[in-house]
Amino acid sequence: MTRSPIVPVAPGRGRSRLRPLGLDEVRITGGFWGRRQQVNAEATLHHCRDWMERVGWIGNFRTAVHGRIDRDRRGREFADSDVYKLLEAMAWETGRRADSALDAAIAELTDAIAPAQEPDGYLNTAYGRPGQPPRYSDLEWGHELYCYGHLIQAGVAQSRARGEGELTKTARRAADHVCATFGTDGIERVCGHPEIETALVELARLTGEQRYLDQAALFVARRGHGTLADIEFGRAYYQDDLPVREAKVLRGHAVRALYLAAGAVDVAMETGDEELLAAVVRQWETTVARRTYLTGGMGSHHRDESFGEDFVLPPDRAYSETCAGVASVMLCWRLLLATGEPRFADLAERTLFNVIAASPSEDGRAFFYTNTLHRRGRGTESRTDTDSPRADSGLRAPWFAVSCCPTNVARTLAQLSGYLATADEHGLQLHQYADAEIATTLDDGRVIGLRVRTDYPAGGAVTVRVTRSPDHGPWTLALRVPAWTAGATAWLTDPDGVRRPAASGSVEVTRAFRAGDQVRLELPLAPRWIRADPRIDAVRGTLAVQRGPLVYCAESTDLPGGRDVDAVRVDPRAQPRERLDRGRGGYRPATVLVAGELTGTDDRNEQRDASWPYEPHSHPPRRTTAADRTEIVLVPYHSWGNRGPSTMRVWLPTADPDSTTPTGRQSCTNLEESTDRTAV
Amino acid sequence: MTRSPIVPVAPGRGRSRLRPLGLDEVRITGGFWGRRQQVNAEATLHHCRDWMERVGWIGNFRTAVHGRIDRDRRGREFADSDVYKLLEAMAWETGRRADSALDAAIAELTDAIAPAQEPDGYLNTAYGRPGQPPRYSDLEWGHELYCYGHLIQAGVAQSRARGEGELTKTARRAADHVCATFGTDGIERVCGHPEIETALVELARLTGEQRYLDQAALFVARRGHGTLADIEFGRAYYQDDLPVREAKVLRGHAVRALYLAAGAVDVAMETGDEELLAAVVRQWETTVARRTYLTGGMGSHHRDESFGEDFVLPPDRAYSETCAGVASVMLCWRLLLATGEPRFADLAERTLFNVIAASPSEDGRAFFYTNTLHRRGRGTESRTDTDSPRADSGLRAPWFAVSCCPTNVARTLAQLSGYLATADEHGLQLHQYADAEIATTLDDGRVIGLRVRTDYPAGGAVTVRVTRSPDHGPWTLALRVPAWTAGATAWLTDPDGVRRPAASGSVEVTRAFRAGDQVRLELPLAPRWIRADPRIDAVRGTLAVQRGPLVYCAESTDLPGGRDVDAVRVDPRAQPRERLDRGRGGYRPATVLVAGELTGTDDRNEQRDASWPYEPHSHPPRRTTAADRTEIVLVPYHSWGNRGPSTMRVWLPTADPDSTTPTGRQSCTNLEESTDRTAV
């Protein structure tokens, strides 16, 4: 039997290793992500719409029809796309739960957009009308096809969530126009910003129309042949330097690289192109090993929002754009579907908890555009009455001049339950853990129901109760055991109460389940010190703390006496420990305590601060104020910056930053001695 | 008596603590800087002129007069300035030595430029003509006043070197136009790129015209009051966020910040404004203590070419623009003249040897635009037939689309002998050491001559022989003892052969010198390990090597087996030592050897390279290939990249990157043990 699950990615039958379960099959019922989805629905969607009315991006469509768009258009050349992304978010939200007000909002926005579409399907408020640059006159920076991509994804979302509507039709007209204009007989170029590729494949999946897939495959194949100009950042910026099949690593603008890779995987799945899939897997592997922050964040260059060279991952210059996190999750999910390998779900989990979840404020009305791992200066509160011109403020901002991230977070949270589980011919696979209800029908017609109870990642226990199981024959329940458990032990308890260790990867229970059967996975959440590959020079001599999938950080808000985080030195001889936090909901993971000291090398040490910061290693250490032994509070990285201006760091220097001393032997001073020494 | 020395900066009588000696009073006769000046004169000046003919920047002036400049103009909006900077370099060069061919070249270039000047003095090829944007319509980015600044500096150079000529007259007409247009009754704004300030003060010094000084003071006072737009980078980008008097540190675009500071010091000197001077000194102190690379380089942000926040100095993302080095030397020189304090000469020396000298190739026909302290990927040879679109290539490029640096280096080298020595009422001061002949007349009419013999910084001995001295009365010879000697001992031998230690700062010999008297300074050049302030996170756990004023680096060219510099681990228990280099000229300082090892964590360790680069600190160290104990060759930083594509790093990780081990105690393994361990 065929299904139309409410999912962002629906590979054709037999085209992927796993079949995704949809928003109609998996419902998040509470906990960390439940809270996030609630805030997204109740606050963020309205917030984004209000802002886009205010800054005129929605009005652009009306102006294009009724006014002087060449004179009155507002926002950047890609502003249309954020309206589409909001529509996509709203559409998934209506697939998650019936909401007639949202249905009406979608219809109203569509009514603004659709009349701006030209008879031949062209739709963009920045090009093509009198007084504007001609259509496709600036493929490098114009973003026209990128905007279509988001329009098409919104149209697909509407169709899957609520059935084909005007938004879907508008998207199809645009897609038809793209095929007519950029087909084999058309403009033989690509868009500076990939995105259309994955969208066209999804439209092909939705409609069964081969030509959308062909066009996507054509865009992927064309890329890397230098049809775009050699700009200041080089053609690698928009991945036009090397064909996708030949590249060894993701490079250039991170969001562009990841969207393109996602589209290439989609094409590879639908065409059975194992070589193309293998090329992207290879690029992903190298990117993950060499160009990814501990948070899962990608992109270290502010200048061109790009991946840096291998191991250039300075925490204080992390760009780690929120949208790159969204794009990375999109790529991971497609690779997971294509291959079934849990490593892709591992990175998705890390990125969801430490990039996607870090972007919005607790009230869902302000966002990080970039996600630095070290904030040195206390930021200032963003103005709430104007958009933020800069992407690297120390505090979340309500809106940005380039505001791709808020709507990208919104659409990801709205579709999130679609990333939790899959099915195959053997049974069900759980990839991400959240309090949830799951019900699906296997390919052979057997109906399965599950109730997942967990307060993960606050707690590490995941209980899966079978609520419905076929009367005959065994099936397999597979649970991902995250790679971060390596070195500790995860335990699985089967329905008979037998408890056994579960290694990283996947653990399976196969049997003729009966309703009421329980499987329990206990993930070892004790916080742990994490070290980095020594080639990541910028974090040498430091350690980070991770607890389960969550990366932790020190925030000045938690330090005594108004100290900055640069005063923190940690003592890794003692294991980090959880603090018992009282009065916090299940969606707020525990804080962590680590042993350490606060050095005197902070802003108040004026004498030192007026001098040249380099000195002969043979000199005795400079005089600093006495260090205070203390326990240092760490909070989940995703939660930082919610309590006013602060400084923050993920990678914490160990108490003795130099492993060598000027006396000609390795340092053997213990912490007490070194504390004394600093007071000399 | 008044003098008109051939100097870039000539404070009014009594306006500065020290009086600069000019190119006609100090002649560099060989050694490191002699070679650089020779290459500059014989290669770089022609190279710059040839390129500017080729890329059309000189032709722009002709097109402005005879053609369709709105259609045919070439280069960026500030391209005019590079023609002016070349003219300035040529003019100083004619002040250094008579050269009729250069005189003719200057006249020819001036003949191209002068006709493009409008009757009211306006001169810019990018604005104001039919089809072009109006004059001063884009003060943020238009660079019109910036271009005048360089024109005026060229005009001053011509006048001082060879007497007033057409170039000087053109410059004066432009300056008059600026005063008329931007005076108290004119446009009450500033230029996005400071430069005009210091130039106008110099023109006032040359001509004695108060209004040029007043206009410069007005520009300095106006700045920081938000008369420029709040761009994406913020107003701090062009120092329009805070008045100069109120700022605590240099910030924003490094070259802009430093040019502005130089202009403010010029204004402060001429107006006796101690408060303004103190404000710049304070900014300089904080900038040097917190925002400066070991090389003296400034600016760590690629995105906006700006200073980063305090201690954000990642070596692999160092921007350290060559022009910021030039501007820093300009600022240091003015602060030295104003205060007489040797610390300003210290930073100038560091910057000259490690930024200015690093930019040009050995043949003077290719340049670094940025001066990174860590190059991870081997660059590719730049094409010699086209300009380089990017500023961060791994190899020097012959020209850039934005090519401010080559001409800035050229003018600095041409005027370099003007930075060596000063005079005051007591006698002579030597600030920078080079093989040179010096002759000047003190204020009281006494004539003094010196012969400086040294191969510094190849060698550390500087011999100063008095060649001419007044018959009556004592005078003082003061020699700077660089701050980098701290912890080692410099020795001074006076004319009687008495040898005594000389502390960092300044050492003086006062007596009735006779011709033939000799003073000898011995600077301790033994190479030394240098460590950084622990707040410079990006270099934690590493050391650098400095020998005299020279920073050293490891370059892959010198490593066995094609290894990359990331394999280098050093052992600071052994002092670095000089290698006896044979067959090298006096202008090539020695290479240095340090003890260390080459680890196996290089590109060939494939197993490790495909995995997540973070792991629990409790895990045993990963398997690596056995480390090879070896001596590692270091070369002067300024010389890197002259032997083909390579990787390079200044900050070298020590052999045991973690000071802590998972066993719960500080690591006491010595190097041999750790070598064994890595082979487990």
Side-chain angles (χ1 to χ4, degrees), chain A residues 533-608:
Chain A
D533 187 304
R535 287 170 296 181
I536 304 175
D537 288 286
V539 298
R540 181 174 285 105
T542 69
L543 294 171
V545 167
Q546 198 177 319
R547 179 179 166 279
L550 299 180
V551 173
Y552 276 66
C553 66
E555 192 177 2
S556 57
T557 320
D558 299 303
L559 298 180
R563 304 290 281 271
D564 271 341
V565 290
D566 286 351
V568 170
R569 297 290 179 275
V570 295
D571 177 4
R573 294 170 303 176
Q575 283 301 307
R577 64 186 178 87
E578 262 179 55
R579 186 161 76 166
L580 293 174
D581 293 287
R582 284 162 298 192
R584 298 192 148 209
Y587 54 85
R588 288 191 200 247
T591 54
V592 163
L593 294 170
V594 297
E597 62 190 43
L598 295 172
T599 67
T601 54
D602 65 357
D603 281 350
R604 295 168 305 179
N605 192 337
E606 304 229 342
Q607 189 185 358
R608 175 155 195 168

Side-chain angles (χ1 to χ4, degrees), chain B residues 424-488:
Chain B
D424 66 6
E425 64 273 28
H426 308 295
L428 240 67
Q429 302 82 38
L430 298 188
H431 304 289
Q432 307 296 345
Y433 298 113
D435 208 69
E437 289 173 359
I438 300 175
T440 192
T441 306
L442 297 185
D443 280 357
D444 57 12
R446 292 184 292 172
V447 178
I448 289 171
L450 300 177
R451 179 77 179 95
V452 183
R453 299 304 305 264
T454 183
D455 63 351
Y456 185 83
V462 180
T463 302
V464 183
R465 188 159 56 83
V466 177
T467 54
R468 188 163 175 194
S469 186
D471 294 335
H472 52 90
W475 56 275
T476 298
L477 176 64
L479 298 101
R480 180 175 64 95
V481 181
W484 58 255
T485 63

Side-chain angles (χ1 to χ4, degrees), chain A residues 232 290 537 609 649 668, chain B residues 290 390 537 609 649 668:
Chain A
E232 185 185 2
R290 294 168 165 247
D537 288 286
D609 282 0
R649 64 187 299 169
C668 294
Chain B
R290 295 168 165 248
R390 284 172 290 278
D537 288 285
D609 282 0
R649 65 186 299 167
C668 292

Side-chain angles (χ1 to χ4, degrees), chain A residues 392-507:
Chain A
D392 53 354
S393 148
L395 288 167
R396 293 171 180 84
W399 203 250
F400 304 95
V402 174
S403 216
C404 43
C405 298
T407 53
N408 232 350
V409 168
R411 70 180 183 131
T412 302
L413 290 175
Q415 71 190 214
L416 192 70
S417 68
Y419 293 143
L420 263 54
T422 55
D424 66 4
E425 65 272 29
H426 307 296
L428 240 67
Q429 302 83 37
L430 298 188
H431 304 288
Q432 308 295 345
Y433 297 113
D435 209 68
E437 289 173 0
I438 301 175
T440 192
T441 304
L442 298 185
D443 281 356
D444 57 14
R446 292 185 290 173
V447 177
I448 289 172
L450 300 177
R451 180 76 180 94
V452 182
R453 297 306 303 264
T454 184
D455 63 351
Y456 186 82
V462 180
T463 302
V464 183
R465 188 161 55 83
V466 177
T467 55
R468 190 164 172 192
S469 184
D471 296 333
H472 53 91
W475 55 276
T476 298
L477 176 65
L479 297 100
R480 182 177 62 94
V481 181
W484 58 255
T485 63
T489 307
W491 295 92
L492 182 87
T493 307
D494 70 17
D496 300 327
V498 178
R499 191 164 176 262
R500 58 185 163 95
S504 294
S506 184
V507 63

Side-chain angles (χ1 to χ4, degrees), chain B residues 142-163:
Chain B
H143 287 77
E144 286 150 292
L145 296 169
Y146 165 88
C147 289
Y148 291 144
H150 284 301
L151 172 64
I152 292 167
Q153 287 179 326
V156 169
Q158 178 183 54
S159 181
R160 291 203 176 126
R162 302 289 282 165

Side-chain angles (χ1 to χ4, degrees), chain A residues 315-446:
Chain A
D316 50 11
R317 293 297 289 158
Y319 197 72
S320 183
E321 185 182 337
T322 300
C323 287
V326 169
S328 175
V329 170
M330 286 171 57
L331 174 59
C332 286
W333 181 245
R334 284 159 178 76
L335 289 169
L336 173 65
L337 294 179
T339 67
E341 295 173 19
R343 58 180 175 156
F344 301 114
D346 283 335
L347 186 68
E349 177 183 62
R350 184 177 293 272
T351 309
L352 283 166
F353 279 116
N354 301 295
V355 180
I356 311 289
S359 174
S361 62
E362 288 186 351
D363 70 0
R365 296 178 185 281
F367 305 86
F368 279 134
Y369 187 109
T370 65
N371 296 278
T372 186
L373 275 70
H374 184 177
R375 176 77 199 177
R376 291 168 179 272
R378 288 164 206 250
T380 48
E381 300 277 359
S382 291
R383 294 174 58 178
T384 54
D385 57 339
T386 182
D387 58 15
S388 169
R390 283 173 290 280
D392 53 354
S393 148
L395 288 167
R396 293 171 180 84
W399 203 250
F400 304 95
V402 174
S403 216
C404 43
C405 298
T407 53
N408 232 350
V409 168
R411 70 180 183 131
T412 302
L413 290 175
Q415 71 190 214
L416 192 70
S417 68
Y419 293 143
L420 263 54
T422 55
D424 66 4
E425 65 272 29
H426 307 296
L428 240 67
Q429 302 83 37
L430 298 188
H431 304 288
Q432 308 295 345
Y433 297 113
D435 209 68
E437 289 173 0
I438 301 175
T440 192
T441 304
L442 298 185
D443 281 356
D444 57 14
R446 292 185 290 173

Side-chain angles (χ1 to χ4, degrees), chain B residues 395-667:
Chain B
L395 289 166
R396 294 170 178 85
W399 203 251
F400 304 95
V402 174
S403 215
C404 43
C405 299
T407 53
N408 232 350
V409 168
R411 70 181 183 131
T412 303
L413 291 174
Q415 70 191 215
L416 192 70
S417 69
Y419 293 142
L420 263 53
T422 58
D424 66 6
E425 64 273 28
H426 308 295
L428 240 67
Q429 302 82 38
L430 298 188
H431 304 289
Q432 307 296 345
Y433 298 113
D435 208 69
E437 289 173 359
I438 300 175
T440 192
T441 306
L442 297 185
D443 280 357
D444 57 12
R446 292 184 292 172
V447 178
I448 289 171
L450 300 177
R451 179 77 179 95
V452 183
R453 299 304 305 264
T454 183
D455 63 351
Y456 185 83
V462 180
T463 302
V464 183
R465 188 159 56 83
V466 177
T467 54
R468 188 163 175 194
S469 186
D471 294 335
H472 52 90
W475 56 275
T476 298
L477 176 64
L479 298 101
R480 180 175 64 95
V481 181
W484 58 255
T485 63
T489 307
W491 295 92
L492 183 87
T493 307
D494 71 17
D496 300 326
V498 178
R499 189 164 177 264
R500 56 184 164 98
S504 294
S506 185
V507 63
E508 299 183 349
V509 181
T510 303
R511 61 174 61 203
F513 285 100
R514 290 174 306 177
D517 279 352
Q518 279 203 170
V519 172
R520 182 179 164 85
L521 182 65
E522 294 161 77
L523 296 171
L525 283 194
R528 294 193 288 177
W529 293 114
I530 302 292
R531 67 170 174 236
D533 187 304
R535 288 170 296 181
I536 305 176
D537 288 285
V539 298
R540 181 172 286 106
T542 69
L543 294 171
V545 167
Q546 199 177 319
R547 178 180 167 277
L550 300 181
V551 174
Y552 277 66
C553 65
E555 192 176 3
S556 58
T557 320
D558 299 302
L559 298 181
R563 305 292 279 270
D564 271 343
V565 290
D566 286 350
V568 169
R569 296 290 178 276
V570 296
D571 178 4
R573 295 170 302 177
Q575 282 301 308
R577 64 187 179 86
E578 264 180 52
R579 187 162 73 167
L580 294 175
D581 293 286
R582 283 162 297 191
R584 296 189 149 210
Y587 54 86
R588 289 190 199 247
T591 54
V592 163
L593 295 170
V594 296
E597 60 190 44
L598 294 171
T599 68
T601 56
D602 65 357
D603 280 350
R604 295 168 304 179
N605 192 336
E606 303 229 340
Q607 191 187 355
R608 176 156 194 168
D609 282 0
S611 61
W612 182 239
Y614 310 99
E615 64 185 356
H617 191 50
S618 56
H619 284 197
R622 295 197 202 190
R623 190 186 196 89
T624 62
T625 59
D628 308 317
R629 285 284 296 181
T630 185
E631 276 197 313
I632 292 153
V633 175
L634 306 184
V635 297
Y637 171 74
H638 68 250
S639 73
W640 92 274
N642 272 300
R643 297 172 292 171
S646 63
T647 63
M648 178 280 298
R649 65 186 299 167
V650 166
W651 291 98
L652 306 170
T654 52
D656 187 6
D658 285 320
S659 63
T660 55
T661 67
T663 61
R665 57 180 178 79
Q666 301 290 112
S667 170

